[in-house]
Amino acid sequence: MSNYLFTNFPYSNPPVAYKACDFMTDEDLTEFVATAISSGSASVIDTDVYGCARLTAAATTDDSGVEVQRDAAWIALATSKRIRYETRVRLGESTSTDMPTQCDFFAGIATLDTSIIASAPTNGIYFRKDDGDDYLDIVIRTGGSDVAAVTAVASLSKDVWYRLSIDIQMDSSSGVGAVTFYLDGTAKYSATFASGLPASTSMMAEFVAFQSGNALGTKYLDVDYIVAEVQR
C-alpha cells in the first residue's frame, strides 16, 4: 500500500470511475445528502488549512449529529474489479472534555440510508467508532446482517487526524473477494471471503456519519476529504 491510496491515479489500464471531494467551499457539500440527527449540522470550515467539512452535534443534546452520503449510489462490488475508499477525519470538541469516548462515527461505503448510525445500513463496508469507548472497529454487512465485525483495531484520540482507507479486490464470482482496512497506511484487518460480500448488483455510495454520546457540550467530527474509485 502506498503512502497515499491513489498515488498512481489516473490509471491507463484499467480505467476507473473516480470521485473526490476536498470540502474547500460550501458548494462541495452539495454533492452529498446531509441528514441531521436531532438538530446536528454540517458546514465547511474554510479557516482550516485546505478546508474541511465539520459534522457538529447540537450542544447539550445527546445522540445529536449529522451524516453525509453521496447523493447517488454509484459503487458496486462488481466481479473482478477493485474498489477503494479513503477519508481523513478528526474528532474534536468546543465546550466538552470527554471526547472521543462520548460519540459514534461511521465511515465507508453503504447502500443509501438516512439513518446509518441508528439502524446500520443494509449493505456496507465501513469503519465504526461506538459510543462509550475510544476504539475503532471495522464492519462488513450484507442483507442487514454482519458478515464481519472486528472491534478495537485501534484507539483514537481527539484533535488528531486519522486517514481511514478500504481496499476491496473482487473475485470473478459475485460476493467473493478480499477486503483490507488501513489506518494511516497500516493494515488493521484483512480477510478473503469465499462468499457473503454484498452482491455485484447492490449499489452503494461513500459516506461519513457522526453523533454525540451525551448532552455535555458541543462535539464534532472534521472530514478533510472523501475519495472513492471503482474499476470500470
PDB file of all heavy atoms in Angstrom, residues 57-79:
ATOM      1  N   ALA A  57     -22.530  18.139  16.452  1.00  0.00           N
ATOM      2  CA  ALA A  57     -23.670  17.789  17.289  1.00  0.00           C
ATOM      3  C   ALA A  57     -24.193  19.045  17.981  1.00  0.00           C
ATOM      4  O   ALA A  57     -23.419  19.954  18.294  1.00  0.00           O
ATOM      5  CB  ALA A  57     -23.252  16.760  18.334  1.00  0.00           C
ATOM      6  N   ALA A  58     -25.502  19.097  18.204  1.00  0.00           N
ATOM      7  CA  ALA A  58     -26.084  20.234  18.918  1.00  0.00           C
ATOM      8  C   ALA A  58     -25.643  20.199  20.375  1.00  0.00           C
ATOM      9  O   ALA A  58     -25.644  19.149  21.017  1.00  0.00           O
ATOM     10  CB  ALA A  58     -27.602  20.191  18.827  1.00  0.00           C
ATOM     11  N   ALA A  59     -25.248  21.335  20.901  1.00  0.00           N
ATOM     12  CA  ALA A  59     -24.801  21.415  22.291  1.00  0.00           C
ATOM     13  C   ALA A  59     -25.914  20.976  23.232  1.00  0.00           C
ATOM     14  O   ALA A  59     -27.092  21.254  22.997  1.00  0.00           O
ATOM     15  CB  ALA A  59     -24.373  22.837  22.619  1.00  0.00           C
ATOM     16  N   THR A  60     -25.542  20.277  24.280  1.00  0.00           N
ATOM     17  CA  THR A  60     -26.447  19.786  25.339  1.00  0.00           C
ATOM     18  C   THR A  60     -27.543  18.868  24.802  1.00  0.00           C
ATOM     19  O   THR A  60     -28.600  18.744  25.416  1.00  0.00           O
ATOM     20  CB  THR A  60     -27.075  20.945  26.144  1.00  0.00           C
ATOM     21  OG1 THR A  60     -28.008  21.669  25.314  1.00  0.00           O
ATOM     22  CG2 THR A  60     -26.023  21.897  26.670  1.00  0.00           C
ATOM     23  N   THR A  61     -27.310  18.197  23.659  1.00  0.00           N
ATOM     24  CA  THR A  61     -28.276  17.260  23.106  1.00  0.00           C
ATOM     25  C   THR A  61     -27.590  15.921  22.856  1.00  0.00           C
ATOM     26  O   THR A  61     -26.674  15.825  22.039  1.00  0.00           O
ATOM     27  CB  THR A  61     -28.862  17.777  21.781  1.00  0.00           C
ATOM     28  OG1 THR A  61     -29.472  19.048  22.001  1.00  0.00           O
ATOM     29  CG2 THR A  61     -29.911  16.808  21.242  1.00  0.00           C
ATOM     30  N   ASP A  62     -28.036  14.894  23.571  1.00  0.00           N
ATOM     31  CA  ASP A  62     -27.472  13.565  23.381  1.00  0.00           C
ATOM     32  C   ASP A  62     -27.914  12.990  22.032  1.00  0.00           C
ATOM     33  O   ASP A  62     -28.999  13.304  21.538  1.00  0.00           O
ATOM     34  CB  ASP A  62     -27.940  12.651  24.519  1.00  0.00           C
ATOM     35  CG  ASP A  62     -27.188  11.329  24.561  1.00  0.00           C
ATOM     36  OD1 ASP A  62     -26.162  11.220  23.869  1.00  0.00           O
ATOM     37  OD2 ASP A  62     -27.639  10.419  25.281  1.00  0.00           O
ATOM     38  N   ASP A  63     -27.071  12.132  21.454  1.00  0.00           N
ATOM     39  CA  ASP A  63     -27.372  11.480  20.174  1.00  0.00           C
ATOM     40  C   ASP A  63     -27.757  12.494  19.099  1.00  0.00           C
ATOM     41  O   ASP A  63     -28.698  12.305  18.336  1.00  0.00           O
ATOM     42  CB  ASP A  63     -28.490  10.452  20.343  1.00  0.00           C
ATOM     43  CG  ASP A  63     -28.077   9.287  21.222  1.00  0.00           C
ATOM     44  OD1 ASP A  63     -26.869   8.990  21.288  1.00  0.00           O
ATOM     45  OD2 ASP A  63     -28.959   8.682  21.854  1.00  0.00           O
ATOM     46  N   SER A  64     -26.969  13.555  19.026  1.00  0.00           N
ATOM     47  CA  SER A  64     -27.170  14.591  18.011  1.00  0.00           C
ATOM     48  C   SER A  64     -25.981  14.597  17.068  1.00  0.00           C
ATOM     49  O   SER A  64     -24.844  14.356  17.481  1.00  0.00           O
ATOM     50  CB  SER A  64     -27.310  15.955  18.686  1.00  0.00           C
ATOM     51  OG  SER A  64     -27.254  17.001  17.737  1.00  0.00           O
ATOM     52  N   GLY A  65     -26.240  14.849  15.797  1.00  0.00           N
ATOM     53  CA  GLY A  65     -25.151  14.907  14.835  1.00  0.00           C
ATOM     54  C   GLY A  65     -25.667  15.005  13.420  1.00  0.00           C
ATOM     55  O   GLY A  65     -26.731  15.580  13.173  1.00  0.00           O
ATOM     56  N   VAL A  66     -24.941  14.431  12.480  1.00  0.00           N
ATOM     57  CA  VAL A  66     -25.336  14.508  11.075  1.00  0.00           C
ATOM     58  C   VAL A  66     -24.573  13.446  10.287  1.00  0.00           C
ATOM     59  O   VAL A  66     -23.463  13.047  10.681  1.00  0.00           O
ATOM     60  CB  VAL A  66     -25.055  15.923  10.509  1.00  0.00           C
ATOM     61  CG1 VAL A  66     -23.568  16.221  10.482  1.00  0.00           C
ATOM     62  CG2 VAL A  66     -25.658  16.096   9.122  1.00  0.00           C
ATOM     63  N   GLU A  67     -25.183  12.945   9.227  1.00  0.00           N
ATOM     64  CA  GLU A  67     -24.469  12.080   8.303  1.00  0.00           C
ATOM     65  C   GLU A  67     -24.463  12.714   6.927  1.00  0.00           C
ATOM     66  O   GLU A  67     -25.406  13.416   6.552  1.00  0.00           O
ATOM     67  CB  GLU A  67     -25.085  10.685   8.241  1.00  0.00           C
ATOM     68  CG  GLU A  67     -26.401  10.618   7.513  1.00  0.00           C
ATOM     69  CD  GLU A  67     -26.868   9.181   7.273  1.00  0.00           C
ATOM     70  OE1 GLU A  67     -27.179   8.496   8.260  1.00  0.00           O
ATOM     71  OE2 GLU A  67     -26.942   8.784   6.098  1.00  0.00           O
ATOM     72  N   VAL A  68     -23.375  12.506   6.186  1.00  0.00           N
ATOM     73  CA  VAL A  68     -23.292  12.973   4.807  1.00  0.00           C
ATOM     74  C   VAL A  68     -22.972  11.771   3.934  1.00  0.00           C
ATOM     75  O   VAL A  68     -22.034  11.018   4.199  1.00  0.00           O
ATOM     76  CB  VAL A  68     -22.240  14.089   4.625  1.00  0.00           C
ATOM     77  CG1 VAL A  68     -22.685  15.360   5.314  1.00  0.00           C
ATOM     78  CG2 VAL A  68     -20.867  13.659   5.132  1.00  0.00           C
ATOM     79  N   GLN A  69     -23.805  11.572   2.899  1.00  0.00           N
ATOM     80  CA  GLN A  69     -23.611  10.470   1.972  1.00  0.00           C
ATOM     81  C   GLN A  69     -23.762  10.990   0.551  1.00  0.00           C
ATOM     82  O   GLN A  69     -24.609  11.849   0.287  1.00  0.00           O
ATOM     83  CB  GLN A  69     -24.607   9.338   2.234  1.00  0.00           C
ATOM     84  CG  GLN A  69     -24.346   8.088   1.394  1.00  0.00           C
ATOM     85  CD  GLN A  69     -25.210   6.908   1.792  1.00  0.00           C
ATOM     86  OE1 GLN A  69     -26.336   7.070   2.258  1.00  0.00           O
ATOM     87  NE2 GLN A  69     -24.697   5.694   1.605  1.00  0.00           N
ATOM     88  N   ARG A  70     -22.927  10.483  -0.352  1.00  0.00           N
ATOM     89  CA  ARG A  70     -23.008  10.901  -1.750  1.00  0.00           C
ATOM     90  C   ARG A  70     -24.459  10.834  -2.220  1.00  0.00           C
ATOM     91  O   ARG A  70     -25.198   9.942  -1.847  1.00  0.00           O
ATOM     92  CB  ARG A  70     -22.122   9.998  -2.598  1.00  0.00           C
ATOM     93  CG  ARG A  70     -22.086  10.313  -4.063  1.00  0.00           C
ATOM     94  CD  ARG A  70     -21.337  11.587  -4.389  1.00  0.00           C
ATOM     95  NE  ARG A  70     -19.918  11.498  -4.112  1.00  0.00           N
ATOM     96  CZ  ARG A  70     -19.065  12.483  -4.411  1.00  0.00           C
ATOM     97  NH1 ARG A  70     -19.494  13.609  -4.969  1.00  0.00           N
ATOM     98  NH2 ARG A  70     -17.778  12.362  -4.119  1.00  0.00           N
ATOM     99  N   ASP A  71     -24.894  11.805  -3.024  1.00  0.00           N
ATOM    100  CA  ASP A  71     -26.311  11.949  -3.349  1.00  0.00           C
ATOM    101  C   ASP A  71     -26.849  10.881  -4.292  1.00  0.00           C
ATOM    102  O   ASP A  71     -28.052  10.824  -4.532  1.00  0.00           O
ATOM    103  CB  ASP A  71     -26.596  13.346  -3.914  1.00  0.00           C
ATOM    104  CG  ASP A  71     -25.754  13.670  -5.145  1.00  0.00           C
ATOM    105  OD1 ASP A  71     -24.988  12.796  -5.602  1.00  0.00           O
ATOM    106  OD2 ASP A  71     -25.881  14.798  -5.645  1.00  0.00           O
ATOM    107  N   ALA A  72     -25.992  10.021  -4.822  1.00  0.00           N
ATOM    108  CA  ALA A  72     -26.452   8.919  -5.671  1.00  0.00           C
ATOM    109  C   ALA A  72     -25.548   7.713  -5.451  1.00  0.00           C
ATOM    110  O   ALA A  72     -24.329   7.855  -5.270  1.00  0.00           O
ATOM    111  CB  ALA A  72     -26.447   9.316  -7.142  1.00  0.00           C
ATOM    112  N   ALA A  73     -26.148   6.523  -5.450  1.00  0.00           N
ATOM    113  CA  ALA A  73     -25.373   5.291  -5.309  1.00  0.00           C
ATOM    114  C   ALA A  73     -24.720   4.949  -6.650  1.00  0.00           C
ATOM    115  O   ALA A  73     -25.402   4.822  -7.662  1.00  0.00           O
ATOM    116  CB  ALA A  73     -26.286   4.160  -4.850  1.00  0.00           C
ATOM    117  N   TRP A  74     -23.399   4.807  -6.667  1.00  0.00           N
ATOM    118  CA  TRP A  74     -22.682   4.553  -7.912  1.00  0.00           C
ATOM    119  C   TRP A  74     -21.624   3.463  -7.760  1.00  0.00           C
ATOM    120  O   TRP A  74     -21.012   3.044  -8.743  1.00  0.00           O
ATOM    121  CB  TRP A  74     -22.007   5.832  -8.407  1.00  0.00           C
ATOM    122  CG  TRP A  74     -20.934   6.348  -7.495  1.00  0.00           C
ATOM    123  CD1 TRP A  74     -21.102   7.038  -6.341  1.00  0.00           C
ATOM    124  CD2 TRP A  74     -19.519   6.193  -7.654  1.00  0.00           C
ATOM    125  NE1 TRP A  74     -19.886   7.331  -5.761  1.00  0.00           N
ATOM    126  CE2 TRP A  74     -18.902   6.822  -6.550  1.00  0.00           C
ATOM    127  CE3 TRP A  74     -18.716   5.581  -8.618  1.00  0.00           C
ATOM    128  CZ2 TRP A  74     -17.521   6.863  -6.381  1.00  0.00           C
ATOM    129  CZ3 TRP A  74     -17.342   5.624  -8.446  1.00  0.00           C
ATOM    130  CH2 TRP A  74     -16.755   6.270  -7.346  1.00  0.00           C
ATOM    131  N   ILE A  75     -21.437   2.956  -6.521  1.00  0.00           N
ATOM    132  CA  ILE A  75     -20.399   1.968  -6.255  1.00  0.00           C
ATOM    133  C   ILE A  75     -21.022   0.583  -6.128  1.00  0.00           C
ATOM    134  O   ILE A  75     -21.970   0.390  -5.361  1.00  0.00           O
ATOM    135  CB  ILE A  75     -19.645   2.301  -4.957  1.00  0.00           C
ATOM    136  CG1 ILE A  75     -18.944   3.658  -5.082  1.00  0.00           C
ATOM    137  CG2 ILE A  75     -18.637   1.208  -4.620  1.00  0.00           C
ATOM    138  CD1 ILE A  75     -18.371   4.172  -3.784  1.00  0.00           C
ATOM    139  N   ALA A  76     -20.495  -0.384  -6.864  1.00  0.00           N
ATOM    140  CA  ALA A  76     -20.914  -1.780  -6.750  1.00  0.00           C
ATOM    141  C   ALA A  76     -19.673  -2.660  -6.668  1.00  0.00           C
ATOM    142  O   ALA A  76     -18.628  -2.334  -7.246  1.00  0.00           O
ATOM    143  CB  ALA A  76     -21.780  -2.198  -7.934  1.00  0.00           C
ATOM    144  N   LEU A  77     -19.785  -3.766  -5.937  1.00  0.00           N
ATOM    145  CA  LEU A  77     -18.677  -4.709  -5.835  1.00  0.00           C
ATOM    146  C   LEU A  77     -18.731  -5.653  -7.041  1.00  0.00           C
ATOM    147  O   LEU A  77     -19.001  -6.853  -6.926  1.00  0.00           O
ATOM    148  CB  LEU A  77     -18.750  -5.487  -4.528  1.00  0.00           C
ATOM    149  CG  LEU A  77     -18.796  -4.661  -3.236  1.00  0.00           C
ATOM    150  CD1 LEU A  77     -18.605  -5.567  -2.028  1.00  0.00           C
ATOM    151  CD2 LEU A  77     -17.759  -3.547  -3.233  1.00  0.00           C
ATOM    152  N   ALA A  78     -18.478  -5.078  -8.202  1.00  0.00           N
ATOM    153  CA  ALA A  78     -18.560  -5.836  -9.443  1.00  0.00           C
ATOM    154  C   ALA A  78     -17.470  -6.906  -9.497  1.00  0.00           C
ATOM    155  O   ALA A  78     -16.367  -6.716  -8.972  1.00  0.00           O
ATOM    156  CB  ALA A  78     -18.431  -4.895 -10.637  1.00  0.00           C
ATOM    157  N   THR A  79     -17.785  -8.028 -10.114  1.00  0.00           N
ATOM    158  CA  THR A  79     -16.835  -9.135 -10.165  1.00  0.00           C
ATOM    159  C   THR A  79     -15.554  -8.722 -10.880  1.00  0.00           C
ATOM    160  O   THR A  79     -15.560  -7.963 -11.852  1.00  0.00           O
ATOM    161  CB  THR A  79     -17.459 -10.342 -10.888  1.00  0.00           C
ATOM    162  OG1 THR A  79     -17.879  -9.947 -12.194  1.00  0.00           O
ATOM    163  CG2 THR A  79     -18.667 -10.863 -10.118  1.00  0.00           C
TER     164      THR A  79
END
